[in-house]
Every structure is written in C-alpha cells, then in structure tokens.
Amino acid sequence: MLLLAALSQYHGSFALALGGLRAHGTLPFLVRSIPPFNLQVGLYYGGWVALQACLNHLLPGKIATGLPTPGGQSLPYKVNGLACCITNLAIFITLAAAGVFRPSSITAHVGEFLFAASNYGFILSLAVTIKCYCMEPGVKDVRFTGSIVHEFLSGIELNPRLGKYWDVKLFQIGRVGMISWLLLDLSFAALQLERFGSITNPMIVVNALHALYILDFFIYEDWYLTTIDIAHDHFGFYLAWGSAVLVPALYTTQAHYLAYHPVEITCTHASILTLAGIISYIIFRTSNNQKFRFRQTNGKCVIWGAAPKTIPAAYRTVDGSLHRSMLLCSGWWGLVRHPNYIGDLLFSFCSCAACGFTHLLPWSYLIFMTVLLAHRSWRDDRRCSEKYGAQWMKYCEVVRWRLVPFVF
Ligand code: NDP
C-alpha cells in the first residue's frame, strides 16, 4: 500500500510517502490508502482467474514428472504454461484491437485489482490450510509444525492438487503470478501511450526484458518443476498471496513508475541496457540449464567442453530409504554455489536501471530480489547441509563462495 500510495499520491517518491505516513500516523495512512472495494473489478478479476483455470484444464501440454518428494512421490504435471500465456496475450491483443476494452483500463484500476487479488490470495491460503486439517491421516508430504501461524504462512502441504495433473502451486505461481505480471506491464505501456502520446525507450526496455524472463519461465516449465518453489517449499500464504499480489504489485513497479513519470534515455543507452540484460539472462539460463542437464543425465554430459566434476552425495527420505545424488562443481557451479541467482540479480539491475536514478521506488524490484535471493541462498545452504551432511560440507570447501567470488 505504501508502494501504491507513493506512486499515486506522492509523485513516485518513497521519501515523500514515508513523510506522509509519519504526518498522518501509520494506521490512518494505511486506511486512507486502501483501494476502494469495487464489485465490478472483483468480478473481472475472478473471471480472469476462472479463465486461467479453464485454459490450464483444457489446453494440451506434455506430462512432465517432478522431482521425487521427501515422501517418495513422483508427481505428474501438465506442462502447458506457454500455451496458456500465448492465449492470454492473444485475447488481450484481440480485445484491445477490436476496441472491446482499453488495454490501459487494468492499470487505471490497479489498486482495486490488487485488492481483489489480495482477497483471493487470502481465501486460497485459508482454503489450503483448512483442507490439510480435514485430511485423512497418512497423507504424504504434509508438515504440521504445531504453530497454526507458521502453517498458514509457510504452508502444510508440499503439492496440493486438484485431480491427477492440476498442481495448485504451479497454477498459482505460473498462471496467476507470471501472466498477471506480463499483462500489467503491457497495460502500463498502454497507459503511458495514452497519457503522453508515445512509449519511451525505458518502457520498451522494461517490457522487453520482463517479457523475456516470463516467456523463459514458460518455455522451461519442466525445468521449473525442479526449483525450490516447486520441489521444496510448502504451499501457504507466502506462495499463494505472494503470487497473487506481490508479483503483480512489486515486479511491475518499473513499468508502473514509468507510466506516470516517463524517463528519457537515448537509443544507445537503451541498447546497452538491453544487451547487458540479455547477457545477464544468458548467465541465468545457462547456469540453470547446466544443473538441470547434469541431474537429468546423471552427470553424463559436457559442461564448458569437458566432463563435469562431481561430488557424490546421498540422502534419506522419510521412509528411511537411501538415495544417491551428485553435486556439480564445474561450469558456473564451480565458481559460486548460486550462479543462477547472480544472473537473476544482474538482470533485475538492468531493468531497474532503465528507470534512472532519481527515485528509489523503481528499484524496489531489485531490492526485493536481492533480499529474497540472499536469504534463499542461506536457506538452501542450510537445507542442503541437513540433507547431504559431510558431502555438502565438502562441496562448500571446493566451491567456497556463495554468491560473489572473493566477496560473499
Ligand atoms: P536452484 O534451482 O538453484 O535449486 C537449488 C537446489 O539445487 C538445491 O536445493 C539442491 O537441490 C540443488 N543443488 C544445489 N547446488 C547444486 C549443485 N552444485 N549440484 C547439483 N544440485 C545442486 O534454486 P531456486 O529454485 O531458488 O532458483 C531457481 C531459479 O529461479 C534461479 O535462477 C532463481 O534466480 C530464480 N528465482 C526467481 C524468483 C523470482 O521471483 N523471480 C524467485 C525464486 C527463484 P537437491 O535437493 O535437488 O540437491
């Protein structure tokens, strides 16, 4: 709400918004900033989520298998995200071209949409928590911690499902979170065109880089099944509400800011930023691909022209059975323990830099990603050291740096 207030009432300045917060008092400020309830917008949002559900169910897609869960399950997933995303884009463009709706109309009501998304995120988080309390005992991959607050926030069930293929977590992150990010970015570009008569270079850079990242997510959706979000994090408020609200609110800050406060950069600067963004993306994608290929082929692959260096590792699942695994120490993974996070952070930097250095607000995406991924690197190191014990310690000795060589 602070973000929305800063953008709509305080000229895109966090500092001014914080001044307003101090002047009015936190609670009155927040109450004043709550977007009004708008039934029509709520119905549009509900209809859009229902459309995502229909597309997810109806559009064809290959069936991919997720990583074995700690409970020993290998779950099937219908991977049709790219088809769903392209269909959304086609509907958006067709309706806009036919004059049925103004593409900027989503952003004209962005607060109300986020309010509706927030209600949906809360209801979904509550629903999955209640579902777990109503389950028969003996269901695999559920985690009751004894703290209802922790369970609500971090989730109880690893992979809540509707039917055989419909994974609620993948649906929420991919279909609701990522597609709303793409559509909102486009809508902010349309708003800028309406307000100022042209789309500026920074808006093009931001939209192009974000579209690349979002399309990558869907093109490599079977890879995404192996990430921490799907393979390890349980589904609760963080992922349900975060995907519904935080992603469309925070990840679109740059386009949102530019729609109201256009910044001009030369074509040369825009090209340099785009090129730097593409190089960062290549680091992100190739490092993720190296690990994915390494695991898929049991180490029988070539990385940077040679057979990969590996550390054999083993772990036990909850039923006590022993499983063999391997840790990669070559390519990007021989330089730091989380090279894919570095690619992601550099990429975020490039899209934020397109908005200039006048205000902190458009940089909130990079700040959020830095906190998220630095914390994640620590969380993952702790989880892997519990899972692999001495073998993970050995990996940490071989690959000493967590994120930045010789620094961290
Ligand atoms: P990773 O894909 O890096 O997954 C970490 C897991 O990989 C570990 O838990 C371990 O799992 C395995 N692993 C770690 N090191 C090695 C190694 N050396 N060799 C083999 N396996 C290893 O992390 P994330 O899921 O967090 O991130 C995936 C991508 O998604 C990243 O590029 C990240 O930047 C991006 N991301 C983007 C977000 C956004 O909001 N835009 C949010 C979160 C992530 P195992 O138990 O299988 O051994």
Side-chain angles (χ1 to χ4, degrees), residues 67 178 181 213 223-224 226-232 247 251 284-285 287-288 291 294-295 315 325-329 333 336-345 348 365 368-369 372-373 376 379-381 383-384 387-388 392 395 399:
L67 291 180
M178 299 302 270
W181 178 9
Y213 192 88
W223 153 78
Y224 185 66
T226 66
T227 62
I228 292 178
D229 284 344
I230 296 291
H232 303 303
V247 170
Y251 290 23
F284 163 85
R285 177 45 43 217
S287 54
N288 278 313
K291 178 158 70 68
F294 171 77
R295 280 283 171 88
Y315 65 96
S325 185
M326 280 189 289
L327 297 169
L328 171 65
C329 314
W333 298 85
V336 287
R337 297 205 291 277
H338 302 278
N340 47 354
Y341 293 177
I342 291 301
D344 210 336
L345 290 176
S348 312
Y365 174 60
F368 174 77
M369 287 300 285
L372 178 92
L373 294 180
R376 199 174 258 247
R379 188 161 69 97
D380 191 48
D381 278 8
R383 195 189 68 79
C384 288
K387 181 173 176 180
Y388 297 120
W392 183 259
Y395 173 58
V399 185

Side-chain angles (χ1 to χ4, degrees), residues 300-317:
K300 293 184 185 61
C301 58
V302 174
I303 290 180
W304 287 358
K309 289 185 204 139
T310 63
I311 294 179
Y315 65 96
R316 283 188 192 279
T317 38

